[in-house]
Amino acid sequence: MDFYFNEFEKRKPPQATPYSLPRELLYQYLATCNICLGLWYLIWRWGFALNYDAMWFSLPLAFAESCAFIGTILFTFNLWKTKDEPQQSPPNSINQCIKEPMDDRPVSVDILFPTYDEEPELVALSIKDALKVTYPHDIEIRIFILDDGKRPEMAQLAADLNVEYITRDSNIGYKAGNLRNALEQTYGDFIVICDADTRPFPSILSNTLGYFKDPDVAWVQTPQWFFDLPAGERLPLWLKRRLGTPFGWLGSAFEKLYGPVTLGKDPFANDPQMFYDVIQRRRNWANASFCCGAGSIHRREAVMEAALRSYSQQISQEHDAVEKQIRKLTKEKQVDSSISSNLRQEIIFDTEFTPYKFHVSEDIYTSLILHSDTERQWRSIQHPQIESKMLSPQDLQSWTVQRFKYSGGSIDIFMNDNPLFKKGMSLKQKLMYGASFWSNLSAIWNIIFLACPIVYFLTSIAPVSAYDTTFYLHFLPFVITAELAMMVGTWGIAGYQGKTNFLSFFPVNLKALWTVLRGKKISFPTTPKNRQQGRFLHLVIPQIAVLALSAASMGFAWYAYSAQLFGNYSLGGLILNSFWALNNMMAMWGMIAAACWSPPASNEPSQVNVEELNYGID
């Protein structure tokens, strides 16, 4: 079967960014300066720069700036330093991986591929690559297709490729339930979690099992690499193809001055290198790198032990809560022992034992449980080298499904099981998890940042006391050092597209937040693995509105200022808000362009049934 990604099969993954102590020290210096200047700016902002004649406008912006600054502090803490775990030689027996020796034997590994509605031909590619995994010592490797779709063709695929096949009667717990069901029927010392499209490299076990020589290492996460990201088209070729040869020459001249410009490359900002090579990797020093599902290797003992403790704690908490209600109703000081015993048995019967938490973000939830285990102090490791390849969302509809699920799951954990209140976690771990969850609340203040220049242009009312020299002396040093620190801290990895994508993400983020606040469950749709056809402008109506309002209001304000027809604009205010609005418009345009993006006509796949995306939606 021909897939759209066949042309990318020979792509090589990028190497991890090499560690540099001088660069790290420079980042720490710039980041410290930025935090100090940010505090100086906010103190001045709240104490001396509020516009008391328009507090309805000034206070929300000061609030948004404060929230964003908290995010800056958390992000700085996250990026503070790199401490890669020394890579060790792979173990040749199980006794090298445990505290208490047993009858020695080779290590055993289960490689699990949960699937629901993915095409058998796609899953076959993943299984065939898993069959090529090598190891320098004797090892028992078993490969499992975990089919929640209960499809005969998937069972036949397993038989044809000589791998194991597991299914179940229901879809309870969705992917997490699928994994739990597999744990009950397998016995490997270590578990490799893959998605249906995860294509492991032969080196994945040789390069990662050595970390488990430390018996406290619970899991190792490897970077996810989307090998199918569109390559894009250089500006001169794009102009020549659309407008003719003279415009192609113009594009070449522009590139000589500006540098290479590629259009259509990674239109959805899917490249995860920033997340894995920078954010996750720099959480190793705090033992706070969390599991991201696909491409992770778990110690079975850790998963089961943590699940048992979590199960016991959940039962005890529910039992205590119900007894408290009974005492309140009966006015008794103590519940009868027989009633208490029966009550506990009922709770045990009704409570699911879940090694992988039944949650849309089961990977992060499992990480929280393991990191907060006070008895074992489990460790996690972000391995810097890419050990597998997988498919990215290839259209805005698929991207939206994935991002809504990620954002909603994180917000749900933040609201209902906040890691800041976990007793077994260190302060460093809490701050690292807090950084992730705080970023998913950013739509609240991003809306204010998007609206402020529009409000200024339409009303000429400033959100600060004045756009004067004092304002710029406080504001510009903070902004400039923030950009310099970001550039140095993420050296070699492009960050602008990710930042603008983060800003334009606000409608999906808001929808996820509203869903959680209403007490609704975040749905469990599988991310489509085929390109969906068509344009998706209906998904970017908010972004179109922001872009149009920003452009129209900016034009109105400059015209009113030049003609002196309306308002009390200042030149400094117009310049600052124009740059602000242009940045917002560029961010919105990136998402709008992604909605219109489509692959070359010669490489279009067949459509998939959109109804099949509703895997587990309540």
Side-chain angles (χ1 to χ4, degrees), residues 63-65 67-68 438-439 441-450:
F63 164 78
E65 289 174 312
C67 289
W438 188 257
S439 68
L441 300 175
S442 62
I444 299 171
W445 46 92
N446 278 344
I447 286 181
I448 299 173
F449 289 137
L450 292 170

Side-chain angles (χ1 to χ4, degrees), residues 27 143 154 256 467 521-522:
Y27 169 73
I143 301 170
M154 200 60 76
K256 286 181 180 179
Y467 287 116
K521 288 186 178 180
I522 299 296

Side-chain angles (χ1 to χ4, degrees), residues 384-396:
Q385 182 178 327
I386 293 171
E387 300 291 351
S388 63
K389 61 184 182 181
M390 56 196 68
L391 302 179
S392 66
Q394 287 286 300
D395 58 84
L396 196 64

Side-chain angles (χ1 to χ4, degrees), residues 7 14 46 71 209-210 266 301 303 384 402 408 477 543 609:
E7 61 178 305
W46 281 98
L209 289 189
D266 189 15
E301 173 195 3
V303 174
Q402 185 185 79
Q543 289 90 341
N609 183 357

Side-chain angles (χ1 to χ4, degrees), residues 512-549:
L513 178 60
W514 180 239
T515 301
V516 174
L517 290 176
R518 286 186 300 150
K520 301 291 185 180
K521 288 186 178 180
I522 299 296
S523 28
F524 287 75
T526 55
T527 304
K529 300 301 186 290
N530 287 338
R531 287 169 169 158
Q532 310 300 294
Q533 301 299 304
R535 296 174 184 267
F536 299 96
L537 290 174
H538 64 283
L539 296 176
V540 291
I541 291 174
Q543 289 90 341
I544 293 173
V546 170
L547 188 147
L549 283 171

Side-chain angles (χ1 to χ4, degrees), residues 17-32:
T17 304
Y19 173 70
S20 169
L21 179 60
R23 187 170 67 242
E24 183 174 270
L25 293 174
L26 178 59
Y27 169 73
Q28 291 174 352
Y29 169 74
L30 290 170
T32 302

Side-chain angles (χ1 to χ4, degrees), residues 217-231:
V217 170
W219 78 90
V220 174
Q221 178 67 53
T222 66
Q224 296 180 2
W225 173 51
F226 298 140
F227 75 101
D228 64 332
L229 292 177

